[in-house]
């Protein structure tokens, strides 16, 4: 319920260059709580199945602003399979400009020692009429929205290292259109919940928000289920 373990930055766009370190800034790095809905996307302002709070980056004001929140993930020494799960939602006004100056939301991961970007973990969502996974706001059809979605970053191989995760939002580069997003990392590590354990079987449930689920028998490699939950013998 507070902003103390994150690092915050502000700057301009585009591209997003939020490099000015700052305390969490009112209306730009905002903790959200309660049952409210986003004004344009009409999705919850707190991630479903997450914690009691989420973090909103940016707002529906203009001015070519950008906001960034940074988190340091310390991968435990000896960890073999280690994945970070996060939840995010995005609201982007679409003025139809060139791609280089459109509102955007980004997720990027870096090795804290080398400062090098982790390959395959640089995600940018840029406003467009055909942007995959987004829908038009019913409040303003020029606004593209993506409700709460799940992302994962595979940190296997980074045992004992610290990885930087950056989330950032940016307005239109020409100054008259907005972009903002929400994030939640209360899930922490990739986790499978175990429920309904009885005398002969166990029900396993994967994290929410993925498009595809595949459960395999670890001894044979055979695919056993494609639902989010599966029941397996003890």
């Amino acid at each position: 319920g507070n902003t103390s373990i994150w690092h915050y930055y502000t700057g301009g766009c585009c591209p997003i260059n939020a490099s000015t370190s700052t305390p969490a800034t009112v209306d730009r790095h905002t903790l959200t709580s309660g049952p409210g809905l986003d004004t344009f996307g009409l999705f919850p302002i707190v991630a479903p199945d997450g914690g009691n709070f989420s973090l909103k980056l940016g707002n529906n004001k203009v001015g070519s602003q950008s906001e960034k929140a940074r988190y340091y993930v310390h991968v435990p020494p000896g960890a073999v399979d280690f994945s970070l799960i996060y939840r995010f939602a995005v609201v982007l006004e679409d003025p139809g400009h060139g791609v280089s100056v459109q509102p955007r939301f980004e997720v990027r991961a870096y090795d804290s020692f080398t400062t090098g970007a982790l390959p395959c973990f640089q995600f940018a969502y840029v406003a467009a009429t055909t942007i995959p996974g987004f829908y038009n706001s019913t409040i303003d059809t020029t606004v593209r929205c993506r409700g709460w979605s799940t992302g994962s970053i595979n940190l296997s191989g980074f045992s004992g290292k610290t990885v930087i995760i950056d989330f950032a939002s940016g307005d239109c580069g020409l100054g008259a259109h907005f972009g903002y997003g929400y994030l939640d990392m209360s899930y922490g590590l990739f986790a499978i919940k175990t429920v309904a354990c009885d005398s002969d079987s166990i029900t396993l449930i994967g994290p929410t928000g993925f498009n595809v689920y595949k459960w395999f028998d670890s001894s044979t490699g055979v695919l056993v289920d494609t639902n989010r939950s599966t029941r397996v013998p003890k």
Side-chain angles (χ1 to χ4, degrees):
N2 64 68
T3 59
S4 62
I5 62 174
W6 291 72
H7 299 259
Y8 303 93
Y9 304 82
T10 57
C13 191
C14 297
I16 291 176
N17 58 0
S19 56
T20 301
S21 179
T22 178
T25 303
V26 175
D27 201 33
R28 298 181 71 178
H29 310 101
T30 308
L31 279 182
T32 57
S33 62
L37 301 178
D38 178 78
T39 302
F40 296 94
L42 302 180
F43 52 76
I45 59 173
V46 175
D49 299 324
N52 295 322
F53 301 88
S54 292
L55 179 65
K56 181 182 178 183
L57 289 178
N59 50 53
N60 62 351
K61 299 175 183 177
V62 298
S64 298
Q65 294 182 332
S66 66
E67 298 79 21
K68 182 170 69 180
R70 171 171 289 180
Y71 188 76
Y72 290 85
V73 181
H74 305 290
V75 183
V80 177
D81 297 316
F82 194 95
S83 294
L84 185 75
I85 301 295
Y86 61 90
R87 300 275 280 161
F88 69 102
V90 186
V91 176
L92 303 173
E93 195 171 12
D94 179 17
H97 298 323
V99 172
S100 63
V101 292
Q102 286 278 77
R104 61 199 59 218
F105 184 80
E106 297 177 350
V107 183
R108 302 189 181 276
Y110 304 88
D111 185 316
S112 66
F113 181 72
T114 66
T115 69
L118 272 61
C120 302
F121 297 118
Q122 314 296 310
F123 306 112
Y125 303 92
V126 181
T129 56
T130 57
I131 183 171
F134 281 68
Y135 58 91
N136 291 343
S137 168
T138 58
I139 307 302
D140 182 342
T141 57
T142 67
V143 176
R144 317 298 176 204
C145 306
R146 179 166 180 156
W148 286 101
S149 306
T150 300
S152 65
I153 297 178
N154 184 0
L155 299 179
S156 301
F158 284 85
S159 172
K161 296 182 179 181
T162 298
V163 174
I164 297 169
I165 308 295
D166 282 349
F167 299 87
S169 62
D171 294 338
C172 157
L174 301 183
H177 303 91
F178 63 81
Y180 63 88
Y182 299 81
L183 65 101
D184 192 325
M185 282 179 41
S186 63
Y187 279 104
L189 304 183
F190 182 92
I192 295 170
K193 292 190 290 186
T194 303
V195 298
C197 181
D198 56 32
S199 60
D200 60 359
S201 64
I202 300 172
T203 299
L204 304 175
I205 300 178
T208 60
F210 289 92
N211 290 330
V212 177
Y213 295 85
K214 292 184 178 181
W215 300 88
F216 294 88
D217 184 314
S218 61
S219 61
T220 65
V222 173
L223 177 67
V224 296
D225 205 338
T226 56
N227 294 309
R228 183 186 164 210
S229 65
T230 187
R231 195 171 183 86
V232 297
K234 285 187 175 178

